[in-house]
């Protein structure tokens, strides 16, 4: 009777130790909280650009242009993915007058 009771206690203690170790590993490997980029501005000159100055993650400029020839479809232009604090730039071959819409894509 004594050995069964001692064996059960050791089994339970081992299971608790494994669970505690697993929980500890999960806490140490949890990713840091991130916030989407914020305070983003768009600039339009010979190219389109976006700049975000707060948060973490990345952003890029995204725009739709009307074509020079109205019989052709609209054109989508995308900038490079850039971290917060750096500028995303997209070439605008037709100039600011052809921009239909522009916005900033965000990624954590």
């Amino acid at each position: 009777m004594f050995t069964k009771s001692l064996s059960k206690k050791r089994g339970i203690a081992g299971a608790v130790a494994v669970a505690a170790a697993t929980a500890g590993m999960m806490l140490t490997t949890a990713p840091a909280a991130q916030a989407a980029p914020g305070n983003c501005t768009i600039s339009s000159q010979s190219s389109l650009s976006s700049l975000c100055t707060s948060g973490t993650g990345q952003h890029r400029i995204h725009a739709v242009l009307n074509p020079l020839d109205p019989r052709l479809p609209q054109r989508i232009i995308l900038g490079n993915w850039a971290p917060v604090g750096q500028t995303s730039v997209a070439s605008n071959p037709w100039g600011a007058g052809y921009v239909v819409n522009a916005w900033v894509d965000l990624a954590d």
Side-chain angles (χ1 to χ4, degrees), residues 44-45 52 58 60 62 87 105-106:
S44 176
Q45 310 214 347
C52 298
Q58 298 184 331
R60 73 174 173 187
H62 189 148
T87 305
D105 291 332
L106 306 174

Side-chain angles (χ1 to χ4, degrees), residues 23-40:
M25 286 186 344
M26 289 171 61
L27 288 175
T28 58
T29 60
Q34 295 184 351
N39 295 332
C40 300

Side-chain angles (χ1 to χ4, degrees), residues 1-74:
M1 199 66 151
F2 180 70
T3 21
K4 282 186 178 180
S5 176
L6 184 59
S7 173
K8 282 183 184 179
K9 286 181 183 176
R10 282 185 184 163
I12 291 170
V16 169
V18 168
T22 302
M25 286 186 344
M26 289 171 61
L27 288 175
T28 58
T29 60
Q34 295 184 351
N39 295 332
C40 300
T41 57
I42 295 174
S43 181
S44 176
Q45 310 214 347
S46 60
S47 63
L48 289 163
S49 64
S50 65
L51 175 64
C52 298
T53 58
S54 68
T56 60
Q58 298 184 331
H59 66 97
R60 73 174 173 187
I61 188 72
H62 189 148
V64 177
L65 306 178
N66 275 332
L68 295 173
D69 182 344
R71 295 173 292 172
L72 297 175
Q74 291 180 323

